[in-house]
Amino acid sequence: MLSPEQIAAIADELAEADRTHGVIPRITARYPDATVEDSYAIQGVWRDKNLAGGRTLVGRKIGLTSKAMQQATGITEPDYGVMFDDTVYRSGADIPVDHFSNVRIEVELAFVLNTPLEGPGCTLDDALGAIDYAVPALEVLNSHIELEGRTIVDTISDNAAYGAMVLGTVHKRPDEIDLRWVPALLYRNGEIEETGVAAGVLDHPATGVAWLANKFAQHGARLEAGEIILAGSFTRPMWVSRGDSVRCDYGPMGVIECRFV
């Protein structure tokens, strides 16, 4: 376990890396006894400082919910982070690469809640009942910790490597579409790079929402109405660089396009 002083110092390191778009050495290389609870404590200190600084929380991201992502990272359980309103883009946006330390893209569905959702014991049906609508989304991954050898403790501390989100324009209630079969064809500069279907996320993408509500219950918290829940990628991450154009075709849920400048 880390001391409160160590937790605060690491949160400050990550905040500075975010400000300078840098990368710090792995936490687990320097503090091998750090635990998952320590990592959520580090994330919590970083989150609270951002809230105190005037940023507005709009939702949560869930990560590492698919075999594709777990195999790509070598991490075997989901995690979560927070999302602020100044990190949300709309389809068609130009996204500055200089805002990030590094940039990878993931293909996801996001869910907007119309009622609070609370564990323990939250089920997929409970989650579906609390969801107002699903919307296609791209997540921009941004790691402030060196990538080689990262563990889940490093990733959670770093706000689950969340950088930004690009939202589509098609909204579907859970009873309007079979969410398990939402497809994705991901292109970079016109060339297809990744494909997948949403069932790759825990067999149903809304299962991640139930997982998150149950995880929150362990910390005495709940998900609130109006929050956006980014439910996890159903493809492997795709690296992008300045000048790259990204297009993702979600079939009946439309298309997201953006460009990195």
Side-chain angles (χ1 to χ4, degrees):
M1 290 284 290
L2 299 179
S3 69
E5 293 76 16
Q6 289 171 319
I7 288 170
I10 296 169
D12 285 345
E13 280 187 63
L14 289 165
E16 179 65 9
D18 189 42
R19 188 184 69 79
T20 61
H21 315 303
V23 174
I24 67 173
R26 280 187 296 120
I27 296 166
T28 47
R30 294 177 287 156
Y31 304 96
D33 295 330
T35 66
V36 167
E37 288 307 308
D38 288 330
S39 62
Y40 279 116
I42 294 166
Q43 184 191 124
V45 170
W46 176 86
R47 176 201 61 216
D48 290 346
K49 285 191 173 183
N50 277 276
L51 291 170
R55 300 180 81 182
T56 300
L57 192 150
V58 294
R60 322 282 174 165
K61 70 148 283 185
I62 312 168
L64 306 172
T65 49
S66 69
K67 292 291 185 186
M69 280 304 301
Q70 291 182 359
Q71 289 173 356
T73 60
I75 297 171
T76 57
E77 60 180 298
D79 60 6
Y80 69 84
V82 298
M83 303 189 300
F84 295 109
D85 63 346
D86 57 2
T87 65
V88 180
Y89 294 87
R90 302 294 169 183
S91 181
D94 286 344
I95 302 174
V97 170
D98 289 343
H99 286 186
F100 309 98
S101 301
N102 40 68
V103 183
R104 288 147 291 147
I105 291 292
E106 292 184 342
V107 172
E108 312 196 14
L109 291 179
F111 298 101
V112 177
L113 302 182
N114 62 6
T115 62
L117 189 62
E118 189 170 10
C122 183
T123 66
L124 172 60
D125 285 341
D126 294 331
L128 291 171
I131 289 169
D132 187 2
Y133 61 84
V135 56
L138 297 176
E139 181 179 355
V140 179
L141 291 178
N142 179 32
S143 178
H144 303 100
I145 296 176
E146 60 184 5
L147 295 173
E148 185 70 30
R150 281 184 313 165
T151 72
I152 194 166
V153 169
D154 296 294
T155 306
I156 293 169
S157 302
D158 190 22
N159 195 29
Y162 173 79
M165 171 173 60
V166 187
L167 290 175
T169 58
V170 176
H171 299 176
K172 296 283 188 183
R173 297 191 315 271
D175 61 353
E176 290 183 308
I177 191 168
D178 187 345
L179 290 165
R180 295 178 67 248
W181 284 100
V182 174
L185 307 176
L186 180 63
Y187 299 81
R188 179 177 55 209
N189 302 326
E191 186 170 339
I192 192 159
E193 298 285 350
E194 294 287 342
T195 62
V197 295
V201 175
L202 300 171
D203 198 35
H204 192 298
T207 302
V209 180
W211 175 86
L212 185 59
N214 289 323
K215 190 70 176 178
F216 263 41
Q218 297 176 14
H219 302 153
R222 70 176 189 177
L223 302 174
E224 300 294 343
E227 286 198 54
I228 307 170
I229 311 299
L230 194 55
S233 180
F234 44 97
T235 67
R236 295 175 300 180
M238 181 181 77
W239 284 92
V240 295
S241 303
R242 191 189 313 278
D244 284 342
S245 295
V246 173
R247 184 178 193 271
C248 192
D249 185 343
Y250 292 84
M253 294 199 71
V255 171
I256 294 178
E257 295 180 305
C258 59
R259 190 164 64 102
F260 287 84
V261 299

